[in-house]
Amino acid sequence: MTGGRGFIGDELSALRRVATLVAQGVPAADLFHAVSEEVGRVFGEDLAAVMKFDDDGATIVGLAKDFDEVTVGTPGDLGDRTATGAVYRTGRSARVDRGASDPPLGALAGRVGVVSSVSSPIVVDGRLWGAVTVAGRDRLPRDAEEQLADFTELLATAIANAESRDALERLAEEQAALRRVATLVARGDPAESVFMAVSEEVAELFGEGLAAVCRFDADRSAVTFVGIANDLEGLEVGTHVEVTEETPAGMVYVTGRPARLDLADWSTLSSAMGRIASQLQVVSSVASPIIVEGRLWGVVSALGRTKPLPPDTPRRLERFSELIAMAIANSESKTALAASRRRIVTASDDARRRIERNLHDGTQQRLVSLGLSIRAAEADVPPELGSLRSQLSKIATGIAEAAAELQEISRGIHPANLAQNGIGAALRTLARRSPIPVDVEVSTDTRLPEPVEVAAYYAASEALTNAAKHARATRVDVSLRWRDDDVLLSINDDGIGGADPASGSGLVGLIDRVTALGGAFDIQSVPGAGTRITAEFPLTPGSDAQPD
Amino acid sequence: MSGSLRVALADDDVLLREGIASLLVRHGFAVVGQSGDASDLLTVVRAEQPDLVIVDIRMPPTHTLEGLDAARIIRSESPSIGLVVLSAHVELEQATDLIGQGERSAYLLKSRVNDVDDFVETLYRVANGGTFVDPALVQELVSARRVHDPLDALSPREREVLALMAEGRSNAGIGHQLFVSEGTVEKHVRSILMKLDVVEARDDHRRVLAVLAYLEAR
């Protein structure tokens, strides 16, 4: 076949068609196939291919026509006498005449009798990405290299675009993942949920389904898994695994810095963590330290199974470990706050109980005895001292009144009835003494944990006081329901609404009480629509508010 | 009844216990034993078989319901002994617990001992088979507000009669209290029962329980 630019018209229209596909952003595989076809058509040959290079060699990613021996995905031949091999080694376009055996031909070359082949490099952002190669049964035109270069340039542009688009997409995905985790943290979700969420997001972004969050045990020679992505078979939250410096998690505890390990065969590692990684067929692992308020707490690990994790993985993982650190710090300060609240509430309850007891068993008894002494004195007064007798009688009556008042006061300080008869009886007594009608429904006769009874009692008491004093309600419904693992107290009135916990009412103390027990408090008080207060008290083991 | 009423007394406050004891002696009762806790009281009661037991509800060791528990044991061992339970504060649950065990019982605020005449009268009524619930508790029950309160149908006088019924007074006792004849009281009682749609109880003790239950449940 004679050379020359006689094909220029065909080439231009072929390039235009490829350019259109590039502009449309068709998937890479389709583009590679189209380029191979067009190149083949321009040279009147069906042996044309797009090849991608990597450290290990070349892979065919586009082919003008499939053959039995050669298809997309077949390794490219980079032998000495191949044009593609020359491109791979030199980075420049190459031509081989006289008995070329070039990919995609390889085994095919002999059968179809190739005499000439040309290959042109695809250079993306200054790096050798791959090559377009065409082989001829006849000798290829003299300027075949230049013609091919037009296609590789176009392809390089398209690949650069696609790569930056991929990078952008990856960045967007990563940002979205970070945002989702940050939302959990900001919302104050339990640290455990944050660990799980991070594991799953990291697995999705870097780790081919493999990622975990681990906490260093006290002696740091082992870690406990606290978050695990779905696909990490054989491991579960709570699993302890011994670690050494040979794996990234172990390196982190020595250096306090991110660590990575790329290793084709992890079975050579002797530590338990190494064996687990080996079983999971890990080839690459990156661990990023979780540092909570200056102390090394644990690691976030991403694991790669088929290929090394991207070089920027440590830097990108760091953002996730920072979020985890924040969640842990939040949860620690929340726990400390709850414990301190609990101590305060318990202390004040104890004080109230003590005062009530002192009033009843001490002061009130004293008054009654005093009254009795005066009555005795009164009885001893000789009949002729009638006015003294009536004076003593008045004093005795006054003392009795004082005792009655004291009884009212002590009842307000702490309801002895609550400890003796339980929350149902105490709520009914509260209801009887309320100046507005109160309907009480209690679903259980079973005694609840004392802190729950006390908190529910004061919550109801405060709400009833508010309903009577401020809400101008004509009725209140109080209900206490024991559900599976919590107790729900609700107090609804038909008053004017508009109650605001922020305005310094007793509602604030009430919220403290409920949250000190790990419970949830809610108040709905739209002006004109009554007030609805609900408090949920967890009954799970450990919710029992013990002073620590 | 011949001779003085024999009384056993239990309260962990020695001063108060002595005060009550001397009051009792002054009014012609025989104090056959004084105890500071429930188990000692039971020993005394078993030995002395008194006519009446006066017991503080809150005593060692736990200072909760020891007196009430002791009363229950005494009731089961010696049903004829009158039981007077004193409490620093009155609760419906304790009242129905005690009264529910049978007649010859009184549930009183401790400070009632200062109204000496009333207190002494109550002791005699209990010894004679009566039942008595502290007026403070009855008042709490009667004055509790309800959205649709059946008590609204009662006249003020009928409300008074109802409260006295709840305290455990007989028709004669109510008449005495309100300075009206027993016949007038009977008329009020019939009117109240009709308005509240309650069946007449067979005796004063059952009447107390029925009225208390009605007041709480209305």
Side-chain angles (χ1 to χ4, degrees), chain A residues 134-275:
Chain A
V134 62
R137 290 175 176 80
D138 296 318
R139 193 181 164 76
L140 291 168
R142 195 187 309 278
D143 60 354
E145 287 172 70
E146 289 163 47
Q147 279 179 285
L148 215 45
D150 292 338
F151 285 94
T152 54
E153 270 166 33
L154 194 54
L155 211 44
T157 311
I159 291 165
N161 282 344
E163 284 189 346
S164 58
R165 198 166 54 228
D166 281 356
L168 259 177
E169 258 166 39
R170 219 181 50 204
L171 191 68
E173 274 170 27
E174 191 173 318
Q175 294 299 326
L178 284 166
R179 202 166 45 241
R180 283 191 292 272
V181 174
T183 305
L184 295 184
V185 175
R187 212 165 59 191
D189 276 29
E192 294 71 32
S193 333
V194 175
F195 301 152
M196 289 314 282
V198 167
S199 305
E200 274 154 28
E201 298 285 7
V202 167
E204 183 78 18
L205 282 173
F206 311 92
E208 304 173 88
L210 302 182
V213 178
C214 300
R215 189 186 63 222
F216 287 124
D217 289 0
D219 64 357
R220 292 198 179 175
S221 66
V223 295
T224 304
F225 282 83
V226 293
I228 290 179
N230 291 336
D231 295 356
L232 224 48
E233 314 94 356
L235 289 175
E236 54 190 35
V237 168
T239 306
H240 288 268
V241 177
E242 162 237 348
V243 291
T244 64
E245 282 170 62
E246 59 183 18
T247 58
M251 298 175 205
V252 167
Y253 85 63
V254 174
T255 64
R257 302 173 52 76
R260 82 173 289 152
L261 180 63
D262 297 302
L263 193 63
D265 182 8
W266 288 52
S267 65
T268 57
L269 301 184
S270 59
S271 71
M273 189 63 106
R275 283 196 299 276

Side-chain angles (χ1 to χ4, degrees), chain A residues 356-357 360-362 364-372 375-376 379-380 396 399-400 403-404 407 411 416-417 420-421 425 428-429 431-438 474-475, chain B residues 11-13 15-16 19-20 22-23 26 56-58 61-65 88-94 109-111 113-116 137 140-141 143-148 216:
Chain A
E356 186 267 348
R357 177 95 159 258
H360 268 160
D361 297 346
Q364 209 187 358
Q365 304 260 84
R366 268 304 71 70
L367 284 175
V368 175
S369 330
L370 212 52
L372 283 175
R375 291 294 184 198
D380 290 344
I399 286 175
Q407 194 223 325
R411 187 196 282 267
N417 191 23
Q420 288 164 2
N421 299 311
R428 283 188 290 273
T429 303
R432 281 199 296 272
R433 300 174 144 247
S434 167
I436 41 176
V438 178
T474 64
R475 65 172 295 167
Chain B
D11 193 317
D12 56 315
D13 186 323
L15 215 58
L16 183 58
I20 296 174
S22 69
L23 176 156
R26 217 164 47 238
D56 181 15
I57 202 164
R58 219 146 99 156
T62 68
H63 294 274
T64 53
L65 299 172
H89 50 87
V90 280
E91 305 291 354
L92 178 64
E93 290 72 21
Q94 269 88 66
L109 268 178
K110 205 176 240 187
S111 54
V113 300
N114 283 333
D115 303 327
V116 179
L137 177 60
E140 182 182 308
L141 286 166
S143 58
R145 301 284 311 274
R146 295 286 193 269
V147 178
H148 302 291
E216 171 63 357

Side-chain angles (χ1 to χ4, degrees), chain A residues 345 349 352-353 414-415 417-419 422-431 438 440-444 446-465 476-482 486-492 506-507 509-521 533-539 543 545:
Chain A
V345 166
D349 286 351
R352 279 164 169 263
R353 229 188 313 265
H414 181 82
N417 191 23
L418 179 60
I423 184 68
L427 288 180
R428 283 188 290 273
T429 303
L430 262 188
V438 178
V440 176
E441 264 191 58
V442 176
S443 76
T444 174
T446 312
R447 293 303 296 266
L448 303 170
E450 196 197 347
V452 173
E453 288 198 333
V454 171
Y457 176 84
Y458 283 118
S461 170
E462 184 63 42
L464 289 181
T465 305
V476 185
D477 289 291
V478 175
S479 100
L480 185 98
R481 269 185 296 146
W482 186 0
D486 69 359
V487 170
L488 177 71
L489 172 72
S490 68
I491 302 130
N492 304 326
L507 288 171
L510 222 161
I511 295 170
D512 279 353
R513 249 181 200 292
V514 177
T515 48
L517 296 177
F521 179 89
I533 291 174
T534 54
E536 289 171 36
F537 303 95
L539 289 178
S543 71

Side-chain angles (χ1 to χ4, degrees), chain A residues 24 189 210 214 409-410 422 493:
Chain A
Q24 285 168 353
D189 276 29
L210 302 182
C214 300
I409 292 168
S410 68
D493 72 43

Side-chain angles (χ1 to χ4, degrees), chain A residues 48-62:
Chain A
V50 178
M51 225 95 49
K52 184 177 187 327
F53 296 161
D54 57 37
D55 292 345
D56 299 331
T59 309
I60 294 171
V61 294

